[in-house]
Amino acid sequence: MDKYSSGLDSVLGALADPTRRDVVRRLGRGPRTVSELADAFTMALPSFLKHVRTLEASGLIATAKRGRVRTCTLNRERLDLIDGWLDDQRRLWEERTDRLELLVTELPEETS
């Protein structure tokens, strides 16, 4: 569990907000400018930029400024943290349910 702690908390925290999840989904299709991303939402640009900064701080996105245009790119490697953690959780619970199944199937049948 400790192998995920540092980065996983910030990634999951960033993805806890539906606006940020939508931004990540949109960036999954390719880089977008902040203006292109912001157009999809009914909030003021300064409010939207807070979401961009949160995603950037978590390492989920990177931004690059060229002139007056800031472009956002998804960092897919940060999403691998979630995949790895979910794989570990899935494996853990499969092992537990397998042990439970074994226990239940090996119980002697009670006769009434």
Side-chain angles (χ1 to χ4, degrees), residues 10-26:
S10 68
V11 170
L12 290 175
L15 292 175
D17 184 274
T19 298
R20 294 191 290 265
R21 286 192 304 270
D22 195 32
V23 169
V24 168
R25 184 180 57 79
R26 291 169 189 277

Side-chain angles (χ1 to χ4, degrees), residues 27-109:
L27 290 175
R29 296 184 206 128
R32 300 278 187 272
T33 66
V34 169
S35 296
E36 290 170 333
L37 291 168
D39 284 344
F41 301 97
T42 57
M43 67 179 72
L45 187 59
S47 297
F48 182 76
L49 286 172
K50 288 181 182 180
H51 290 291
V52 170
R53 284 192 289 275
T54 299
L55 289 168
E56 195 171 22
S58 74
L60 279 167
I61 69 170
T63 63
K65 191 171 183 180
R66 189 171 199 182
R68 296 180 55 118
V69 178
R70 184 171 294 280
T71 302
C72 302
T73 307
L74 181 63
N75 179 0
R76 295 176 190 277
E77 290 177 7
R78 292 298 279 181
L79 293 173
D80 290 343
L81 279 174
I82 297 171
D83 279 342
W85 182 79
L86 287 173
D87 285 344
D88 286 351
Q89 294 304 305
R90 192 175 296 112
R91 190 172 20 265
L92 174 86
W93 284 101
E94 285 173 355
E95 289 170 2
R96 287 179 178 177
T97 56
D98 289 347
R99 286 194 310 266
L100 179 61
E101 180 183 20
L102 187 62
L103 177 69
V104 169
T105 57
E106 290 183 354
L107 281 176
E109 290 186 30

